[in-house]
Amino acid sequence: MRLNNRIALITGAARGIGRAIAEHYAREGARVAVADLNLDAAEEVVQEIKRQGGEAMALAMDVTSERAVNDGFAAVVSQWGGLDIAVANAGIQHIDPIDRLAYEDWFRVIDVHLNGAFLVTRAALQQMYGNGGGAMIFMGSVHSMEASPLKSPYVAAKHGLLGLCRSVAKEGAAQGVRSNIICPGFVRTPLVDKQIPEQSKALGISEEAVIRDVMLKHTVDGEFTTLEDVSEIAVHLAAFPSAAMTGQSIVVSHGWHMQ
C-alpha cells in the first residue's frame, strides 16, 4: 500500500472530492482525519472507512476559525503522534456577475478557500517542520489557471491557492515538506450540481446547455472529471518519494486546460 502508516488530515472531507480522497487514502493504508464543518457527516465517512478495515477519526472543523483549525491538528497529533499529509480541500461556490456581487458573498468564498487554506497550511507546517517533513496538497481547479463568468471570488481564490502552494514549496523544502496543487475540471459533486440550475438561470439557457456548452465545452471528450481521477492524483502526490515533485499544479480536466 502506497500510504501505509502515514497520517493524513483532509478538510471538507465529509462529501465530494474530500470524501473520495479520505476513502482512497485509507485504502492505501493511511490513518485519516476526516475534518468537516458537519461532524455528523464526517462521522459517517469514518464509519465507512472503518467498515472497510481502515483507521480514521472525525473532526468538527470550520476552516475559517483559527482555533478550530489549530485544535483539530492538535487532536490528530495527540491521537496518532504526528502528521504526514494535509489536504486543504474545503470550499464553497457563489454564482453572480461582478457588478451585482455582494461583498459578503465575495468575502465568504475567499475566506473559506484562501484564508482557510492558510490556516490549515500553517497548522500543518507547524507539525511537519522538525518531524521529518510531509506533503501539503491544495485543491485548486482549472480556475486556478483560467476564468469563467459569474465566478469571480472562486476564480480569485483558486488563483491565490496556486501562489500559496508555490510559496510553501519554496519555504518548506529545507524542512522536508513538498507542496503541490491539484486542478480538476468539473467533477459531479454537490458543489457542481448546485451550480447547474444557478448558471441556467443566470445565463438564460437550459441546464443541459450549461453542462454541454459551458462546463464541458472545452474538454476533448465531453466528459466530467471523476472523483476517482482526483483521488488517484492525491494519492500519487502524497506518496511521491522526493522533492522532484513540488510546487507543481497537476491539471486533471479531460483536456479543458493544457499546460
Side-chain angles (χ1 to χ4, degrees):
M1 294 188 284
R2 289 176 286 177
L3 300 177
N4 200 35
N5 294 322
R6 304 278 186 89
I7 299 166
L9 185 151
I10 303 157
T11 65
R15 64 178 187 168
I17 289 173
R19 177 170 184 164
I21 293 172
E23 292 179 341
H24 202 155
Y25 276 10
R27 291 195 301 273
E28 293 287 348
R31 287 174 281 181
V32 180
V34 178
D36 201 273
L37 195 61
N38 186 333
L39 181 59
D40 289 340
E43 290 281 9
E44 291 179 10
V45 178
V46 167
Q47 292 307 312
E48 178 61 23
I49 287 173
K50 289 181 175 179
R51 189 186 68 79
Q52 296 183 18
E55 188 173 355
M57 64 185 291
L59 298 170
M61 186 181 290
D62 176 355
V63 297
T64 67
S65 165
E66 186 173 11
R67 180 174 180 176
V69 171
N70 290 341
D71 286 351
F73 276 84
V76 172
V77 174
S78 175
Q79 176 83 5
W80 289 326
L83 181 76
D84 302 298
I85 306 158
V87 182
N89 168 75
I92 58 174
Q93 180 62 280
H94 183 84
I95 302 297
D96 253 331
I98 296 171
D99 63 308
R100 295 202 295 272
L101 180 65
Y103 176 65
E104 64 182 289
D105 292 324
W106 165 274
F107 183 83
R108 186 168 56 94
V109 175
I110 297 292
D111 201 23
V112 172
H113 283 277
L114 196 52
N115 297 339
F118 161 72
L119 291 175
V120 167
T121 301
R122 186 180 64 180
L125 296 182
Q126 288 170 353
Q127 299 300 335
M128 292 174 182
Y129 282 6
N131 289 293
M136 187 71 223
I137 299 172
F138 298 90
M139 191 53 59
S141 166
V142 166
H143 287 106
S144 297
M145 318 288 180
E146 300 191 6
S148 292
L150 308 177
K151 298 180 179 180
S152 60
Y154 183 86
V155 171
K158 292 300 190 183
H159 273 67
L161 285 177
L162 184 62
L164 178 59
C165 169
R166 290 170 173 170
S167 296
V168 174
K170 292 286 188 179
E171 290 190 21
Q175 302 287 344
V177 173
R178 295 178 295 103
S179 172
N180 294 288
I181 183 168
I182 303 171
C183 298
F186 283 101
V187 182
R188 287 301 293 266
T189 63
L191 189 70
V192 167
D193 284 337
K194 180 175 179 292
Q195 292 177 52
I196 295 171
E198 291 175 344
Q199 291 206 51
S200 173
K201 181 179 179 181
L203 296 171
I205 59 178
S206 69
E207 293 187 13
E208 292 76 14
V210 170
I211 294 172
R212 182 186 65 246
D213 300 331
V214 177
M215 292 183 168
L216 303 180
K217 179 179 180 180
H218 297 294
T219 64
V220 298
D221 54 8
E223 296 290 338
F224 282 98
T225 302
T226 68
L227 293 171
E228 293 75 18
D229 293 331
V230 181
S231 69
E232 176 59 33
I233 296 296
V235 170
H236 176 71
L237 291 175
F240 199 84
S242 78
M245 179 72 78
T246 195
Q248 300 305 306
S249 54
I250 311 301
V251 179
V252 51
S253 69
H254 286 257
W256 170 14
H257 178 84
M258 300 183 186
Q259 59 181 16

